Amino acid sequence: MSNGDAQQAAPFTTDALILQVLQQLQQTQLVKNELLRNQQQSHEQQRVFIQQQENTLRNIQVQVPANPESILDSLASNVKEFRYDTENSITFSSWFSRYEELFANDAARLDDQAKVRLLMRKLGIAEHERYCSFILPKTSKNFTFAETVAKLKGLFGATESLISKRYRCLQTAKSSTEDFVTYTCRINKTCVEFELGNLSEEQFKVLIFVCGLTSEADAEIRTRLLARIEEKNDVTLE
């Protein structure tokens, strides 16, 4: 081959090589696009499958409702029986505050009457008898859960008057056998029960006056004054 022939063949060979490379690149891109479409289709199929499974679970939950009695029995095992004891400050309000979240959250799937039945099951024998006698001729089924709670709070509430609580608060002192944590808790409770925000200046003066009558000789007048204050809220020092 002459030099002229070689020079003519070189461009042809270079162009063919470039074309071949471009074809390979195009083929590679087509393969990539196909793989991407397959991945997208696979992801879509997985999404549809998961959605179908979730819908199936929802349908099963709707078709098979929870047994309210089994829920009630389970909750009842976690609730301590209520026994009214005013001397130890065990009222229905204090007992219910311990289980209020249980009734609001754990018992959310129970209807109103099921919650009432749960309350009735957790009353002591004497407490249940007293409540049933109190609501005669009606029965517990005639009241909503909120109404039942309100009635029980009123029936099994604190018997100590507000004046008595305030007087007792001002007499509070730490005993020699009492630790500081217990004493702190007792102070905190009696001060909350004092209801300072609802006490007028004149009422406070009268209360301080009565608390200052510590002599045995003043015992009778102290008792009479406390009774007088309970009868009338407008008693003043004058």
Side-chain angles (χ1 to χ4, degrees):
M1 180 182 298
S2 64
N3 291 335
D5 293 336
Q7 289 176 355
Q8 291 178 356
F12 175 78
T13 303
T14 302
D15 290 344
L17 180 61
I18 292 174
L19 180 62
Q20 184 178 3
V21 170
L22 289 174
Q23 289 176 343
Q24 289 179 349
L25 290 174
Q26 185 177 16
Q27 186 65 29
T28 301
Q29 186 63 41
L30 291 174
V31 172
K32 288 182 178 180
N33 292 339
E34 184 66 24
L35 289 174
L36 182 60
R37 283 195 296 270
N38 291 337
Q39 288 178 353
Q40 292 175 342
Q41 290 177 356
S42 177
H43 291 161
E44 180 64 20
Q45 290 173 352
Q46 290 179 359
R47 188 190 66 79
V48 172
F49 176 76
I50 293 173
Q51 185 66 41
Q52 290 174 343
Q53 295 300 312
E54 291 177 349
N55 293 336
T56 301
L57 289 174
R58 289 197 200 96
N59 292 333
I60 292 175
Q61 291 174 352
V62 171
Q63 295 172 5
V64 185
N67 185 352
E69 293 303 321
S70 64
I71 298 175
L72 193 149
D73 290 338
S74 176
L75 293 175
S77 63
N78 295 317
V79 178
K80 186 178 179 180
E81 190 175 72
F82 169 65
R83 298 290 182 86
Y84 188 40
D85 185 359
T86 54
E87 291 185 1
N88 293 308
S89 300
I90 302 177
T91 63
F92 183 81
S93 293
S94 63
W95 176 88
F96 185 72
S97 65
R98 180 179 179 182
Y99 301 107
E100 192 166 4
E101 288 297 321
L102 181 144
F103 281 98
N105 300 322
D106 299 359
R109 288 184 292 171
L110 295 176
D111 61 27
D112 207 66
Q113 283 302 308
K115 292 180 181 180
V116 172
R117 293 199 304 274
L118 177 57
L119 270 182
M120 294 300 100
R121 286 177 57 173
K122 302 317 296 183
L123 295 179
I125 296 176
E127 290 74 15
H128 185 273
E129 177 63 26
R130 183 177 181 182
Y131 176 72
C132 291
S133 299
F134 178 73
I135 62 175
L136 284 174
K138 295 182 178 181
T139 66
S140 60
K141 292 186 292 185
N142 297 121
F143 301 98
T144 65
F145 176 73
E147 291 171 339
T148 303
V149 170
K151 289 182 180 297
L152 289 170
K153 285 182 177 180
L155 188 60
F156 300 107
T159 57
E160 187 179 12
S161 67
L162 179 58
I163 293 299
S164 177
K165 290 179 181 178
R166 287 172 172 173
Y167 179 78
R168 179 168 52 84
C169 177
L170 295 176
Q171 303 297 312
T172 304
K174 181 182 178 300
S175 66
S176 58
T177 58
E178 189 176 30
D179 62 80
F180 284 100
V181 174
T182 303
Y183 178 58
T184 301
C185 294
R186 192 157 59 88
I187 287 292
N188 184 61
K189 182 179 180 181
T190 56
C191 288
V192 171
E193 293 176 343
F194 191 92
E195 297 185 18
L196 181 60
N198 297 325
L199 187 70
S200 68
E201 183 177 338
E202 285 298 325
Q203 289 173 325
F204 185 67
K205 291 176 182 178
V206 172
L207 195 57
I208 292 297
F209 178 85
V210 175
C211 289
L213 302 176
T214 58
S215 172
E216 287 294 329
D218 297 326
E220 183 179 353
I221 187 64
R222 181 176 65 244
T223 303
R224 290 171 59 187
L225 284 173
L226 284 171
R228 177 73 171 175
I229 296 171
E230 288 188 359
E231 292 175 1
K232 298 182 65 176
N233 292 327
D234 57 351
V235 176
T236 67
L237 286 179
E238 297 178 0

